[in-house]
Amino acid sequence: MKLVTAVIKPHKWEEVREALETFGITGMTVTEASGYGRQKGHTEVYRGAEYDVSLVPKIRVEIVTEDEDVKDVVDVVVKAAATGKIGDGKVWVVPVESVVRVRTGEKDEAAL
Amino acid sequence: MKLVTAVIKPHKWEEVREALETFGITGMTVTEASGYGRQKGHTEVYRGAEYDVSLVPKIRVEIVTEDEDVKDVVDVVVKAAATGKIGDGKVWVVPVESVVRVRTGEKDEAAL
Amino acid sequence: MKLVTAVIKPHKWEEVREALETFGITGMTVTEASGYGRQKGHTEVYRGAEYDVSLVPKIRVEIVTEDEDVKDVVDVVVKAAATGKIGDGKVWVVPVESVVRVRTGEKDEAAL
Ligand SMILES: Nc1ncnc2c1ncn2[C@@H]1O[C@H](COP(=O)(O)OP(=O)(O)OP(=O)(O)O)[C@@H](O)[C@H]1O
Ligand SMILES: Nc1ncnc2c1ncn2[C@@H]1O[C@H](COP(=O)(O)OP(=O)(O)OP(=O)(O)O)[C@@H](O)[C@H]1O
Ligand SMILES: Nc1ncnc2c1ncn2[C@@H]1O[C@H](COP(=O)(O)OP(=O)(O)OP(=O)(O)O)[C@@H](O)[C@H]1O
Ligand SMILES: [Mg+2]
Ligand SMILES: [Mg+2]
Ligand SMILES: [Mg+2]
């Protein structure tokens, strides 16, 4: 299993969620975050305001998923989150050694 | 060392914290999150309101711990967080390669 | 690639960010968190208030970086975040298997 973490633009969150639901994701965890990415001298625009300073509001999404679905999950997020403008986001994948569903105690693949 | 991440129901946070303290955990990091889990047609209840839409308030707890304690830490969290109702939570474990205590510069096991 | 997660004192965040920028970090993600660390009977002070209870406001910083820079990134954070007082923070490192830049689809080292 793997943990896919995606940091995306807030206004893209609904589209990303819908794309993940359509793909068949069974769970995800969302937190509000602030992001700093390389802007190469450009400014990033959020709700009409220009952020040339470093911190811009972002949504951080975590998805624990099976190995065989990781590539697709990353592709689904990237496709749904992209606008072509700077600051579109970053997605990274980390190995997961075990998972438990709290209600039932089910483990690993059965817990997803 | 491992990183145990638990996403639990907010009203179970106090119980989980107390159980972890009793177990002897020396540190943890807590963030507010929103969660989306499979509901199989059921709705999840939070503070008297039904959430049939996907996002429900959750507490995200991170605990970096020694390898030999991981199983117990996960068990402690699962036991304290369970209510038997849907949405009880998910716990996952990720490998940690190094840890530092900022105040002293102590490393790895000594930093926990 | 690695994911460096640092949980630091809020009033040290500016210094940590500046030190990371000076080092040449190209991106990071920041979330507000609450922390619980071992206090050995001491209390932790935040904005003039004593927190002898367990939860103290913290800033959680995530930096995905190349293997060869991990040691330096951790050192930069530790040096900038330290005050010598309890509660200064904890830094941990987790392996990252892949990274994507959403705007361009670039992967791994090229995505950082
Ligand atoms: N190395 C990194 N580590 C952790 N988080 C990162 C990193 N790089 C970017 N992020 C997070 O992802 C968000 C989006 O990054 P962003 O899309 O600006 O990446 P970028 O590499 O600067 O690409 P672009 O040139 O398209 O702006 C950032 O605001 C930050 O929250
Ligand atoms: N695959 C996942 N990846 C990341 N976070 C998840 C995942 N599944 C669940 N979560 C998080 O854990 C929270 C609780 O999940 P939940 O207990 O609803 O899991 P479930 O598998 O739907 O089990 P149940 O059938 O008991 O509801 C979710 O709201 C979400 O924040
Ligand atoms: N084992 C841990 N797992 C996850 N987060 C931790 C852990 N230990 C500490 N933290 C986080 O780091 C923050 C700072 O920890 P802290 O500096 O108090 O560590 P400590 O080991 O108690 O060191 P000190 O003796 O200097 O206080 C905590 O408030 C918490 O958010
Ligand atoms: Mg950028
Ligand atoms: Mg559920
Ligand atoms: Mg402490």
Side-chain angles (χ1 to χ4, degrees), chain B residues 24-107:
Chain B
I25 272 303
T26 53
M28 59 186 123
T29 297
V30 180
T31 39
E32 294 181 10
S34 301
Y36 166 92
R38 41 167 218 164
Q39 305 309 338
K40 301 162 169 176
H42 298 274
T43 51
E44 198 173 317
V45 176
Y46 175 70
R47 295 204 171 155
E50 278 198 3
Y51 286 73
D52 60 352
V53 286
S54 37
L55 286 172
V56 185
K58 299 285 173 187
I59 293 289
R60 184 176 176 279
V61 186
E62 289 174 296
I63 307 142
V64 180
T65 189
E66 299 187 28
D67 289 16
E68 61 185 20
D69 289 336
V70 171
K71 209 191 157 299
D72 287 345
V73 166
V74 171
D75 284 351
V76 163
V77 172
V78 168
K79 205 177 157 207
T83 69
K85 300 227 178 65
I86 59 163
D88 266 357
K90 202 84 97 185
V91 183
W92 61 84
V93 178
V94 160
V96 169
E97 298 186 352
S98 61
V99 184
V100 183
R101 173 176 288 121
V102 170
R103 177 173 59 87
T104 60
E106 284 163 294
K107 296 221 161 67

Side-chain angles (χ1 to χ4, degrees), chain A residues 2 5 7 31-38 40 54-55 60 74 77-78 81-82 84-95, chain C residues 3 13-14 17 21 25-32 60 62 64 94-103 105-107 110-112:
Chain A
K2 308 290 179 193
T5 302
V7 183
T31 39
E32 293 183 7
S34 300
Y36 166 93
R38 45 168 216 165
K40 302 162 166 175
S54 37
L55 285 173
R60 184 177 178 279
V74 172
V77 172
V78 168
K85 299 228 177 66
I86 59 163
D88 267 356
K90 202 84 98 185
V91 183
W92 61 84
V93 178
V94 161
Chain C
L3 170 64
W13 152 243
E14 274 297 325
R17 198 204 64 189
E21 278 176 20
I25 273 303
T26 54
M28 59 185 123
T29 298
V30 179
T31 39
E32 293 182 10
R60 184 176 178 279
E62 289 173 296
V64 180
V94 161
V96 170
E97 298 186 352
S98 61
V99 184
V100 183
R101 171 178 289 119
V102 170
R103 176 173 59 88
E106 285 163 294
K107 295 221 162 66
L112 292 178

Side-chain angles (χ1 to χ4, degrees), chain A residues 5 8 19-20 34 37-38 44 48 73-75 93-94 96 102 104 111:
Chain A
T5 302
I8 61 170
L20 286 167
S34 300
R38 45 168 216 165
E44 199 173 316
V73 166
V74 172
D75 285 352
V93 178
V94 161
V96 169
V102 170
T104 60

Side-chain angles (χ1 to χ4, degrees), chain C:
Chain C
M1 297 151 299
K2 308 290 179 195
L3 170 64
V4 178
T5 302
V7 182
I8 61 170
K9 287 182 167 156
H11 76 93
K12 278 296 202 168
W13 152 243
E14 274 297 325
E15 263 173 82
V16 169
R17 198 204 64 189
E18 276 169 35
L20 285 168
E21 278 176 20
T22 302
F23 176 74
I25 273 303
T26 54
M28 59 185 123
T29 298
V30 179
T31 39
E32 293 182 10
S34 301
Y36 167 91
R38 43 168 216 165
Q39 305 309 339
K40 300 163 168 174
H42 298 273
T43 51
E44 198 172 317
V45 175
Y46 175 71
R47 295 206 173 156
E50 278 197 3
Y51 286 73
D52 58 352
V53 286
S54 36
L55 285 172
V56 186
K58 299 285 172 188
I59 292 289
R60 184 176 178 279
V61 186
E62 289 173 296
I63 307 143
V64 180
T65 190
E66 299 186 29
D67 289 16
E68 60 185 22
D69 288 335
V70 172
K71 207 189 156 301
D72 287 346
V73 166
V74 172
D75 285 352
V76 162
V77 172
V78 168
K79 205 177 157 206
T83 69
K85 300 226 178 64
I86 59 163
D88 267 356
K90 203 83 96 183
V91 184
W92 62 83
V93 178
V94 161
V96 170
E97 298 186 352
S98 61
V99 184
V100 183
R101 171 178 289 119
V102 170
R103 176 173 59 88
T104 60
E106 285 163 294
K107 295 221 162 66
D108 300 337
E109 317 287 325
L112 292 178

